[in-house]
Amino acid sequence: MTLKIKITDKNLNAARKRADKIGPNAKKIAKGGELYGMLGEQLFLDNYGGELIDCHDYDIDHPKIGRIDIKTKRCASAPQDHYSCTVAAYQVGKEDCDYYCFYRIHNNLTYGWFLGIISKKEFLKKAKFLKKGEMDGDFEVKSDCYNIKISELKEISEVLK
């Protein structure tokens, strides 16, 4: 179950400030994706708390959940349960996080969607590996990755217990 979130000026300004500071990231699949990634992190912080760590292994340290890596995609429409959430293959073996949390942000930066959360351990059991050039539904995979359907993620309330 996805949760639609209105993006406020406060969310956007905080994300923009961080994205401008780091500049373009050569490893981002989508050009200009830094702002969207920072906005996903900011939405999590503003709605669920935690401490922004922003290291290579994870983004947020949450007192009840642990180390969370936020993964964000931009989109043109509301996400569907059968859509994929992605972690790049090169990140999976390197990242020392406890959970992956997924967001989608509308191209016009007015809304975002909290898609769900899953432990890294469970993600690795359930996710499907795809090689660059393979198709995931109607989309060609841009780099080796692991994908999981939105419907397979947990709601935040399930891990905040």
Side-chain angles (χ1 to χ4, degrees), residues 100-159:
Y100 289 119
C101 181
F102 298 93
Y103 280 85
R104 292 234 178 175
I105 304 293
H106 195 281
N107 288 331
N108 66 16
L109 300 170
T110 56
Y111 285 96
W113 290 266
F114 174 85
L115 305 176
I117 190 166
I118 190 167
S119 71
K120 181 178 179 179
K121 187 176 183 178
E122 189 175 356
F123 176 84
L124 292 172
K125 286 181 188 175
K126 292 183 173 183
K128 178 181 176 185
F129 177 76
L130 295 167
K131 292 198 77 54
K132 180 181 179 177
E134 288 185 333
M135 297 300 288
D136 180 29
D138 295 335
F139 297 95
E140 183 179 337
V141 174
K142 304 288 185 214
S143 66
D144 292 359
C145 65
Y146 291 87
N147 280 356
I148 192 167
K149 302 294 179 206
I150 293 171
S151 60
E152 296 181 83
L153 303 175
K154 293 184 177 351
E155 293 184 32
I156 191 76
S157 60
E158 294 179 64
V159 296

Side-chain angles (χ1 to χ4, degrees), residues 9-37:
D9 287 342
K10 180 184 171 193
N11 302 138
L12 191 53
N13 291 336
R16 233 186 260 285
K17 185 177 176 182
R18 288 183 53 228
D20 289 346
K21 191 175 174 181
I22 66 161
N25 181 342
K27 291 190 176 187
K28 290 282 182 204
I29 292 171
K31 187 176 180 177
E34 297 80 17
L35 175 60
Y36 293 86

Side-chain angles (χ1 to χ4, degrees), residues 31-48:
K31 187 176 180 177
E34 297 80 17
L35 175 60
Y36 293 86
M38 299 293 158
L39 194 47
E41 294 168 11
Q42 194 63 47
L43 289 175
F44 187 93
L45 288 167
D46 291 346
N47 288 286
Y48 306 111

